[in-house]
Amino acid sequence: TGALKIARRPEHVEQLHGEVARAWRVGVDLDFISPDEARRRLPYLHDSGILAMIYSPTDLYLEPAQIPLGYARAAQRLGAEVLEETTVTGIVTRDGAIERVVTDRGEIRTPVVVDAGGAWSRVVAQMTGIDIPLVPTRHQLVITEPLDVVESSQPIARVIDVNVYIRPERGGLMLGGYEDDPEQYDAATLPPGFQIKDLPLDLGVLRRFADSVREQFP
């Protein structure tokens, strides 16, 4: 769909110039875009308060859940066995090397373990005595009701100074951002059966994000 990056402060205009110069050196299609062209691609964008914008036609976004599912399906096609709903309860080592993985469905003898636990990567690594400095951090977003001006082919837009992004989703707009002081969690304390939807939703954070870009996305 492409991606639009928006600078509302002089220092971020300089940042965009640096990004374009770096992209050209390595052959990436990235350049500044005029307000008229930006509005053609994003009809709900207002250029008030915007100092500069760059556009990358080859950027894309996808649902994160598609990635591990894609890996799992590809592995199955190559002969791997996928054990769904199987809890790892321990990883046994001997002389500093992996020996076997203990699960609630039996043991798997293996010299190699790939820790792909996501938010639980640190918990998994601690089974082997390794500490990974990773802290799960809450990231919130909101999706509006469907809007007539929104099409799925429209690019994602990012506003640098507030770390907010807006993109089409389900006929409406998805709005999210990155907080200065987000909620963080100890994955070891989360109960069995925990799901991301169990985290508390703080609409105040999302309202602040929306207010911060209301001039450009009314």
Side-chain angles (χ1 to χ4, degrees):
T1 60
L4 193 69
K5 189 174 283 189
I6 297 170
R8 304 189 299 185
R9 295 180 180 175
E11 62 267 31
H12 294 140
V13 176
E14 291 185 25
Q15 175 184 324
L16 294 186
H17 279 285
E19 291 186 20
V20 169
R22 188 163 57 250
W24 287 4
R25 286 197 299 270
V26 296
V28 173
D29 189 2
L30 180 69
D31 207 347
F32 285 88
I33 187 173
S34 70
D36 288 343
E37 179 64 15
R39 282 193 300 270
R40 187 182 72 78
R41 296 182 182 278
L42 282 183
Y44 42 84
L45 172 68
H46 290 211
D47 61 358
S48 175
I50 295 177
L51 299 181
M53 293 176 280
I54 58 175
Y55 177 67
S56 169
T58 58
D59 274 12
L60 56 84
Y61 55 81
L62 48 80
E63 291 299 322
Q66 293 174 346
I67 299 172
L69 287 175
Y71 275 119
R73 290 168 181 161
Q76 284 178 302
R77 287 196 297 270
L78 294 173
E81 182 180 0
V82 176
L83 304 178
E84 299 181 7
E85 304 296 332
T86 302
T87 302
V88 173
T89 58
I91 300 174
V92 180
T93 63
R94 183 190 295 269
D95 299 327
I98 301 291
E99 187 176 71
R100 62 186 185 277
V101 175
V102 182
T103 79
D104 59 356
R105 295 172 59 181
E107 295 187 353
I108 303 170
R109 301 191 66 85
T110 176
V112 177
V113 168
V114 178
D115 182 355
W120 290 266
S121 295
R122 189 172 195 165
V123 177
V124 174
Q126 285 172 342
M127 295 179 181
T128 68
I130 297 173
D131 184 48
I132 297 177
L134 181 150
V135 180
T137 302
R138 183 182 66 180
H139 177 73
Q140 298 190 129
L141 54 87
V142 65
I143 300 172
T144 71
E145 294 180 346
L147 301 167
D148 291 339
V149 293
V150 175
E151 298 178 4
S152 60
S153 59
Q154 292 163 343
I156 185 172
R158 300 183 177 92
V159 183
I160 300 173
D161 61 284
V162 286
N163 290 318
V164 167
Y165 62 85
I166 301 97
R167 70 166 173 84
E169 178 68 16
R170 303 178 193 175
L173 287 177
M174 174 190 290
L175 177 137
Y178 298 91
E179 305 166 59
D180 293 331
D181 187 22
E183 286 287 329
Q184 296 185 311
Y185 299 89
D186 180 358
T189 65
L190 299 176
F194 168 82
Q195 297 185 42
I196 298 300
K197 65 181 181 181
D198 297 330
L199 293 176
L201 178 65
D202 186 349
L203 283 174
V205 171
L206 294 166
R207 289 192 178 100
R208 288 197 300 273
F209 285 152
D211 288 341
S212 72
V213 296
R214 193 177 302 280
E215 186 178 1
Q216 289 76 41
F217 298 92

